[in-house]
Amino acid sequence: MLRRSLFVAISCAAAAHAVNGAHAQEANKIGLVLPLTGVLGPVGKQVQAGAQLYMQQHGATAAGKKIELIIKDDASVPDNSKRLAQELIVNDKVAVIGSGITPSAMAIGPLSTQSKTANVVTVSGTSGVINPNNPYMVRTSFTLGQQSGIIGEWAAKNGSKKIVIVQSDWAPGAEATAVFTDAFTKAGGQVLDTIKVPLQNPDFSPFLQRARDLGPDTLFVFVPAGQAGTFAKQFAERGLDKAGIKLIGPGDIVDDNDLPGMGDAMLGVVTAGIYSAAHDSKLNKEYVAAFEKANPMRPNFISLGGYDGMHLIYAALDKTGGKTDGDALINAMKGMKWESPRGPISIDPDTREIVQNIYMGKVEKVNGQLYTVQFATFEAVKDPLKMKK
Ligand code: PHB
């Protein structure tokens, strides 16, 4: 019964979308459901700051119509994300819903499918979030697979032979581990163990001790944005840097938001990531300056999902001439290409996945502060897990 009334409510919302375009004065609403508090609060704050900066720079109008951004905090709890998204779709009649992190995007997915509402996943690193069953979803963040296969091959070619994996125990971590292990072992390396650390209140110390006792030459680590600072502190406290164990990973372990406070134990850490605040382009220099002016933090790789998510929505509205039905918007988004502060990006028209450069980077001091300095580029990388199918 409840399901049915939800379905009716959602169908009405879909109908409302169809007539939205007729009211030229009304704003197009964009609803963004994010974890502004809770275990992944730092993630939501970066997405929010990125989205707001885009509007500040480009104005609150697209296709000649006002844009109203409504941001809701789901406190990192997927049940909340679902309820808030339902309210945004049914009551606020948003033209587009924005979602993330992985569990929340998965909770919201069926609502966007039923109501035919375009759903821009501004943060999720898990491949399966975008799939053929949710045709209105598109990703502007990254997948862990995009980065982990590249660092796996790089490690094997650059002297790593025996690796221990330390992985935050949830979906993107499992994906980082699977893709890394596949690439690294195919290239001749050996994974001694995979150690899983809880997502909530992580204490890395005992896991790091266990990892050290196994005698690896390298640690491959995935922790989500917001936890790299704690990780780095405990890595140094346990003396792993002094033990000569190399640290590598996807870009998450050198989160630009945390890097300034992570300490010199991080010098020399090598990652394959989508972004660095030190990325050398005019657009990025302007982005970092404007972001730091508006917020008490450095933009990190997460912020781009919000910034580019807003660009994608604005550009799609322009292309449809302001039409907001999900089919028109998603069709407009497919194949879209543009320059982001992270570099050139596009939306794969077949999979609705982001295609982007992956940069090898090394932590160095620039003007006395820790930054990831990019030293090699893999161009236009697709989600490897979708290419296999
Ligand atoms: C995710 O939601 O999948 C996610 C969030 C933060 C990260 C990586 C992945 O750093």
Side-chain angles (χ1 to χ4, degrees), residues 204-261:
F204 298 104
S205 292
F207 301 99
L208 286 171
Q209 188 58 48
R210 215 169 100 204
R212 187 180 171 166
D213 292 346
L214 289 162
D217 52 52
T218 309
L219 281 193
F220 169 84
V221 177
F222 167 75
V223 295
Q227 294 188 354
T230 311
F231 174 83
K233 189 167 164 278
Q234 297 181 343
F235 181 82
E237 275 167 11
R238 288 272 149 185
L240 272 86
D241 54 328
K242 306 244 162 41
I245 298 173
K246 284 189 261 180
L247 177 59
I248 61 168
D252 312 60
I253 50 161
V254 290
D255 177 348
D256 268 294
N257 194 12
D258 285 357
L259 252 188

Side-chain angles (χ1 to χ4, degrees), residues 101-102 123-126 142 144 170 172 222 224-225 252 301-302:
I101 50 183
T102 288
V123 48
S124 166
T126 315
F142 49 84
L144 267 309
W170 58 308
F222 167 75
D252 312 60
F301 66 104
I302 296 283

Side-chain angles (χ1 to χ4, degrees), residues 67-127:
I67 296 283
E68 185 187 336
L69 179 63
I70 309 173
I71 299 181
K72 300 278 184 191
D73 176 17
D74 63 18
S76 312
V77 178
D79 278 350
N80 292 346
S81 327
K82 191 171 168 187
R83 175 177 49 79
L84 291 167
Q86 197 175 307
E87 285 168 13
L88 286 165
I89 293 170
V90 176
N91 301 342
D92 295 299
K93 300 181 178 45
V94 292
V96 180
I97 190 100
S99 60
I101 50 183
T102 288
S104 308
M106 285 168 95
I108 294 174
L111 300 179
S112 72
T113 305
Q114 287 163 28
S115 64
K116 300 188 196 293
T117 306
N119 180 345
V120 176
V121 180
T122 56
V123 48
S124 166
T126 315
S127 177

